[in-house]
Amino acid sequence: MNEIKILKRISAALLNSLTSGVTPRLGIEHIAVGRKREIETLLGDLENISYGGSVFRFIVGRYGSGKSFLLQILKTYAVERGYIVADADLSPERKLIGGNQSGLATYRELLRSMSNKVRPDGGALTALLDKWLDGIQVKLIAEGTPENEIPMMMERRILLDISAAENLVHGFDFSKVLQAYWRGFNTGDDELKNSAMKWLRGEYAAKTDAVNELGVRAIITDDNWFDYIKLLSAFVSILGYKGLIILLDEGVNLYKISNTISRNNNYEKLLNMFNEAMQGKVQSLGAYMCGTPQFVEDMRRGLFSYEALRTRLSGSRFMKDGMKDMQGPLIYLEKLTHEELYVLLQRVMHLHSVHYGYDPRVTDAELVGFMQIVANRLGADELLTPREVLRDFTSILNYIHQNPEQSFASMLGEDILRKITVKSAETDDGADDEAVEIII
């Protein structure tokens, strides 16, 4: 296997995430396997978004199947290719709309997490604005603009740059806030800059405060926050980025809303977002939401309980079992094959050995034996998910590294390894290849 070149802090974050059963947010490309068709679809989406298109898709799979993992792969690919990415986990406090400004809380989290290649961990919005304004100033100076005329010309250029965004709902107020940010930027008025950022982050509670501090009469609210996501998608394109990608994980929290009216209000908001993206009313925006099959298909509380969503998301009646439309709004994640899981375990084993500086001590037969034990313990092959497998595997690797007198084989038990060894020997003697398939 090729030598892994990875920063210590990233390998540590990866291993900590895998051991605790959470989705890694750093270095995920080092262990990604499988999902070829799904990734091809997502990369095709990115290409369409770069031409000004928009899309909304749901990534569906049961707990631990790799939904969040796939979102993080998409984030990595998008950031590397010149997109702005914002992600948020839905929760009881963060929904699409509802009491306690839970929709606005989701918007604020998306703004906080905005990432680009320079700021992959979030907090990119302020850096984007400063770089944009620096760029305009440099152009004006290069054009020979007298120094005393630069402030006036800057405001004109700002209006010119965002003239396309002004055609969108709230676009004029958006442009005035950006002008206010420039004035604070130019004069060193941090209070004015902070007021502009406060407005962009949706932190004004009353319109009168926005009028007094910025001269704008609109504020971002629980009801209209997606309008400002559309403005931001147009704005980042103006700045030279290929588009804005928003990732909404844990969609099942909408399903868990107990109040029927509140849940349907969220589904109505989701329907509006879906319609605008899929009808091409948004420029350069990709939106992805993860959820379980129950969240989607439950006719009592899931998305399919809302007739307008069900008619849009249901598959074609002509699609037989086993057929998958990879361009449809629902992307169902099938379980990884055992061969893919096997490669995944190899990569994690190599990552672990590189991080801690030792030679891998686990044989191929031991890897197969481990997979068989996990599958048997869980009671059914269908329950073999990457999260469960990797959590168990990294825990064993941690233990035998901490206790060198122990071996991987001793953790598994000799009976399983003896069976695997016998099968391997049969194949070496010319037996049917199926005797040693990795499939358990």
Side-chain angles (χ1 to χ4, degrees), residues 48-61:
N48 293 334
I49 290 165
S50 71
Y51 296 135
S54 57
V55 69
F56 197 123
R57 294 193 196 276
F58 297 86
I59 298 174
V60 186

Side-chain angles (χ1 to χ4, degrees), residues 152-167:
M152 178 184 65
M153 293 300 296
M154 278 291 297
E155 297 219 10
R156 290 182 182 177
R157 287 292 179 92
I158 290 171
L159 284 174
L160 185 63
D161 270 8
I162 60 178
S163 59
E166 286 186 350
N167 296 325

